[in-house]
Amino acid sequence: MSRVACIGECMIELKQAQGTKAGLYSRGYGGDTLNTAVYLARLGVGADYITALGDDTLSDEMIAGWAAEGVGTARVARLPGKLPGLYMIETDDKGERRFFHWRDSAAARSLMDLPQTPDVLSSLSNYDTIYLSAITLSLYGGEGRARLFAALKRARELGARFAFDTNFRARGWPDLDVARSVFQEAFAAADIVLASTEDLLPLYPGESNDALLARIPGAEVVLKLSEPASLLRIQGTLHPVKAEPLKAPVVDTTAAGDSFAAAYVAARLLGADPIEAARAGHRLAGVVVCHPGAIIPRAAMPPGMVPATSHKASP
């Protein structure tokens, strides 16, 4: 079975309980790359989560939940006295979300500076695909990011592929010039770039879709657009892909991009070409946004999300 290493941070998630007035929240967990790992596992792809947590009961609960979803947890560092971060979701009547974070001292921020960091990084060469996001990169300082990029280079030399998601949160990047520099380094290193105009326009205001794509040198690039569609550049050729109409009202757009990434990567690993993979990404994201929270109930996962193909494409 193909395996994907997802690197990042999972936090305690608070979201307003359905059918209640403001002030009553339910507790779960979520984080962009963790959400992708869960959806990858549900789509039949082996996924391990690489992060750091505390030694508290909430961290225990997280690990138990991930394991129950089939996500591997052997590479989760446990740090005495530390806690996971926390975020709250506020959604408007159109399902658009706003996040509030409490995470400055979260355990995950230490992942690149631990005694076990060299072992964690050397393990990346054991995976078919390594997936992380711009939020992941915002967690670490410059030296930590340098260690991670060096490990990604070594893993790619041994046959692993690096998929980079541009998920951008301005609060994680106080200096936008640093963010632009890190993005360019990630673009140059990545085999697959999963981008969106929502993420890139705050960094490159006013640029056209063509100009945004020109910033990304890779051979396989997905640019999700403001309308329900994406623009793929595969080996220099552009391919527009439209999403299917939604079958239910949008409730919460949290994890739309994370689930798109999971379906895209899963489809590529299972043999689909990039256009088929993008269609799978749009289909899964179209289901996820019709449910509250980052991770939808397992029963809500529709069958046949990842296309079966008779030809093998290189992921």
Side-chain angles (χ1 to χ4, degrees):
M1 175 189 288
S2 298
R3 293 204 72 81
V4 179
C6 297
I7 309 172
E9 178 183 24
C10 182
M11 293 174 282
I12 301 298
E13 176 190 87
L14 298 180
K15 62 177 181 287
Q16 188 171 334
Q18 284 186 288
T20 66
K21 295 181 179 180
L24 182 61
Y25 288 80
S26 62
R27 176 170 62 80
Y29 57 84
D32 64 336
T33 53
L34 183 277
N35 301 334
T36 299
V38 169
Y39 287 118
L40 280 167
R42 290 183 178 185
L43 293 170
V45 172
D48 292 345
Y49 200 54
I50 298 179
T51 191
L53 289 174
D55 59 352
D56 56 290
T57 56
L58 292 174
S59 296
D60 292 342
E61 181 182 297
M62 281 187 182
I63 288 182
W66 305 346
E69 288 283 359
V71 175
T73 62
R75 290 294 177 182
V76 178
R78 302 297 298 272
L79 307 184
K82 285 285 190 177
L83 293 168
L86 179 147
Y87 72 98
M88 181 183 295
I89 302 172
E90 179 183 273
T91 54
D92 62 20
D93 56 5
K94 296 181 180 179
E96 291 299 324
R97 78 279 194 216
R98 182 182 180 192
F99 296 97
F100 301 88
H101 293 89
W102 294 264
R103 63 194 295 215
D104 289 347
S105 60
R109 303 182 77 88
S110 303
L111 182 63
M112 293 297 127
D113 302 296
L114 302 174
Q116 56 266 55
T117 298
D119 287 341
V120 170
L121 293 178
S122 66
S123 74
L124 297 181
S125 61
N126 298 325
Y127 293 90
D128 300 281
T129 302
I130 302 157
Y131 171 84
L132 58 83
S133 72
I135 292 179
T136 305
L137 296 174
S138 75
L139 297 173
Y140 317 127
E143 292 183 2
R145 285 193 291 266
R147 293 187 193 101
L148 178 55
F149 277 122
L152 289 169
K153 180 180 179 180
R154 292 192 296 270
R156 292 178 71 235
E157 289 171 348
L158 294 171
R161 292 173 68 81
F162 168 34
F164 174 59
D165 191 317
T166 61
N167 202 2
F168 176 75
R169 296 291 180 268
R171 69 174 61 245
W173 300 96
D175 187 330
L176 292 185
D177 286 334
V178 171
R180 294 183 189 102
S181 176
V182 172
F183 268 61
Q184 289 307 128
E185 188 171 6
F187 290 156
D191 299 285
I192 298 171
V193 174
L194 300 164
S196 73
T197 55
E198 180 184 8
D199 294 332
L200 296 185
L201 286 175
L203 290 172
Y204 311 108
E207 291 199 355
S208 66
N209 294 340
D210 288 343
L212 293 175
L213 284 168
R215 292 184 174 276
I216 307 172
E220 183 170 340
V221 182
V222 180
L223 182 67
K224 289 166 283 181
L225 307 177
S226 57
E227 63 267 27
S230 56
L231 188 61
L232 278 63
R233 191 185 69 216
I234 309 300
Q235 300 294 341
T237 302
L238 295 179
H239 304 272
V241 176
K242 290 186 177 181
E244 299 171 1
L246 295 180
K247 296 180 180 180
V250 173
V251 173
D252 184 353
T253 58
T254 304
D258 310 333
S259 56
F260 180 101
Y264 187 94
V265 171
R268 295 292 281 126
L269 284 168
L270 295 173
D273 65 38
I275 295 173
E276 292 172 320
R279 288 172 179 153
H282 282 302
R283 283 197 297 272
L284 182 55
V287 173
V288 169
V289 299
C290 299
H291 296 268
I295 299 172
I296 65 176
R298 183 181 289 274
M301 290 289 294
M305 274 288 109
V306 175
T309 62
S310 58
H311 59 281
K312 180 66 178 175
S314 213

